[in-house]
Amino acid sequence: RTQPGLSKSCRGAFQSPRPSPKSGQADGGSEDSLHLDIQKLKEKRDLLDTEISQLISEGYSVDELEDHISQLHEYNDIKDVGQMLLGKLAVIRGVTTKELYAEFGLDMND
């Protein structure tokens, strides 16, 4: 008999969301894989450190970068509002936003 409110599929054996090891894969293979991943991450870190040093030697600073990122966020927020307004205006006029781009002298890549 099924308990009230439970379907038959709820009474099955528990299956872990973690993938099971592939057949024939021993713990040593998994450990080797981890060591390889760690090595790749260390190489990536070293490459990024080199790039950072190069940018600093070219005169870039972290503060300048943070300011630039902040300005890009502000630009994107303003652009999103402009896109929303163009969309609403297009609906009101019954035209496509593409037509409005031409009317306002905007480039489709803007």
Side-chain angles (χ1 to χ4, degrees):
R1 234 179 115 167
T2 325
Q3 294 178 4
L6 292 178
S7 67
K8 290 182 181 181
S9 65
C10 291
R11 293 185 294 143
F14 174 77
Q15 292 185 353
S16 172
R18 285 185 64 185
S20 59
K22 297 177 183 166
S23 61
Q25 182 182 24
D27 288 340
S30 175
E31 191 173 322
D32 290 343
S33 176
L34 288 174
H35 284 295
L36 183 61
D37 289 345
I38 290 170
Q39 184 60 35
K40 286 180 182 178
L41 288 171
K42 286 180 178 179
E43 290 171 5
K44 186 174 182 177
R45 181 197 60 200
D46 293 343
L47 180 64
L48 289 172
D49 285 343
T50 301
E51 289 179 20
I52 289 169
S53 296
Q54 181 180 356
L55 289 170
I56 289 172
S57 71
E58 291 174 7
Y60 292 99
S61 70
V62 173
D63 292 337
E64 181 182 354
L65 179 61
E66 289 174 359
D67 184 50
H68 185 71
I69 290 171
S70 175
Q71 288 178 9
L72 284 173
H73 283 297
E74 184 176 355
Y75 168 81
N76 286 329
D77 290 343
I78 293 169
K79 184 178 176 182
D80 290 344
V81 170
Q83 291 286 345
M84 182 185 67
L85 290 172
L86 280 174
K88 289 184 183 271
L89 184 58
V91 169
I92 291 169
R93 290 189 180 179
V95 298
T96 65
T97 52
K98 184 176 182 178
E99 292 174 86
L100 291 179
Y101 267 71
E103 180 181 334
F104 290 104
L106 300 172
D107 185 349
M108 288 299 291
N109 296 323
D110 285 343

